């Protein structure tokens, strides 16, 4: 499950067995010297690309500063890579994350927003889920007056197979609180984010 509770480590033995079965299913000999080391490489790779399963996203933004800031904070163009849970191929893109600080004016470090995207993306995933989970985590931990998250990504399950449309971008958004309710605040946030950027991922 992609929403599983954080755990201590992955079971490399099971991953290696799974890759060997995959090769067998393709009619390849998993003991062929050319691919014999692949199961171990994949197991170690999964420590990186699925490492978000080992981290509670809330822990990433647990540092706050009393700055008395009452205007929108936005970090644009945060690059990320994730893996589609339907086909186990990548999708890559950029996230734009913003929030309207709490009534007390507390802010979190700018790098925390980028780290949050990274942690949530590093799981078998859906773009819509990443978008919502980033917004929900910020809303729960920072208690801001508003949150906006916009993600645009190219999905290799559309580029490499199926409709085969390289360069097609999927855009998703999640808006919470005052940024959702107040048209002027939402317009300001959208202007700060700007429109979707041209694809630079392939």
């Amino acid at each position: 499950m992609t929403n599983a509770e954080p755990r201590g480590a992955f079971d490399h033995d099971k991953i290696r067995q799974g890759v060997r079965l995959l090769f067998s299913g393709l009619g390849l000999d998993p003991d062929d010297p050319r691919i014999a080391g692949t199961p171990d490489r994949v197991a170690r790779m999964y420590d990186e690309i699925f490492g978000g399963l080992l981290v509670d996203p809330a822990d990433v933004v647990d540092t706050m500063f009393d700055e008395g800031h009452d205007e929108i904070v936005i970090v644009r163009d945060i690059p990320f890579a994730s893996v589609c849970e339907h086909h186990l191929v990548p999708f890559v893109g950029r996230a734009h994350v913003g929030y309207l600080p709490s009534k007390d004016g507390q802010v979190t470090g700018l790098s925390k927003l980028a780290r949050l995207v990274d942690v949530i993306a590093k799981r078998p995933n859906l773009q819509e889920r990443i978008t919502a989970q980033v917004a929900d985590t910020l809303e729960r931990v920072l208690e801001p007056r508003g949150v906006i998250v916009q993600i645009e990504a190219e999905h290799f399950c559309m580029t490499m197979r199926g409709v085969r449309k390289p360069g097609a971008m999927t855009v998703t958004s999640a808006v919470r609180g005052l940024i959702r309710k107040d048209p002027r605040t939402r317009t300001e946030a959208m202007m700060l984010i700007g429109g979707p950027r041209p694809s630079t991922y392939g």
Side-chain angles (χ1 to χ4, degrees):
M1 294 291 292
T2 54
N3 293 322
E5 290 296 319
R7 65 195 75 160
F10 299 136
D11 189 329
H12 283 192
D13 285 340
K14 286 185 178 180
I15 295 172
R16 285 190 286 262
Q17 292 169 20
V19 177
R20 287 179 61 85
L21 282 172
L22 175 62
F23 279 142
S24 294
L26 293 172
L28 301 174
D29 177 5
D31 293 318
D32 185 312
R34 294 171 296 181
I35 58 175
T38 299
D40 188 58
R41 284 189 290 268
V42 170
R44 287 184 278 114
M45 178 185 71
Y46 281 0
D47 285 341
E48 287 188 66
I49 67 174
F50 295 139
L53 289 168
L54 307 177
V55 181
D56 184 342
D59 292 341
V60 175
V61 287
D62 63 352
T63 301
M64 290 178 279
F65 308 96
D66 294 317
E67 291 296 321
H69 190 73
D70 65 353
E71 299 290 341
I72 297 173
V73 178
I74 290 181
V75 177
R76 300 189 315 188
D77 297 313
I78 302 169
F80 76 91
S82 192
V83 175
C84 168
E85 65 184 30
H86 293 160
H87 301 98
L88 292 182
V89 293
F91 61 98
V92 293
R94 295 183 182 275
H96 318 294
V97 180
Y99 67 98
L100 196 58
S102 66
K103 294 179 180 178
D104 297 330
Q106 288 189 323
V107 299
T108 190
L110 299 178
S111 65
K112 303 293 187 183
L113 302 182
R115 173 68 175 147
L116 177 62
V117 171
D118 193 53
V119 163
I120 292 176
K122 286 186 173 179
R123 305 168 178 212
N125 235 319
L126 298 177
Q127 179 174 333
E128 296 89 340
R129 183 183 301 134
I130 297 173
T131 310
Q133 287 187 345
V134 171
D136 291 343
T137 301
L138 288 176
E139 190 172 42
R140 184 173 69 255
V141 178
L142 300 184
E143 298 183 349
R145 288 172 291 155
V147 172
I148 184 167
V149 178
Q150 180 176 295
I151 292 179
E152 55 219 39
E154 181 173 354
H155 291 249
F156 283 66
C157 58
M158 291 178 60
T159 298
M160 299 171 62
R161 57 162 297 282
V163 294
R164 293 187 177 88
K165 297 297 180 184
M169 303 296 291
T170 298
V171 181
T172 51
S173 66
V175 188
R176 308 282 190 266
L178 192 59
I179 298 178
R180 181 184 181 95
K181 296 175 183 176
D182 181 27
R184 290 181 300 177
T185 305
R186 181 167 184 151
T187 298
E188 179 185 359
M190 294 301 296
M191 288 179 61
L192 290 171
I193 287 175
R197 277 64 167 172
S199 173
T200 56
Y201 317 117

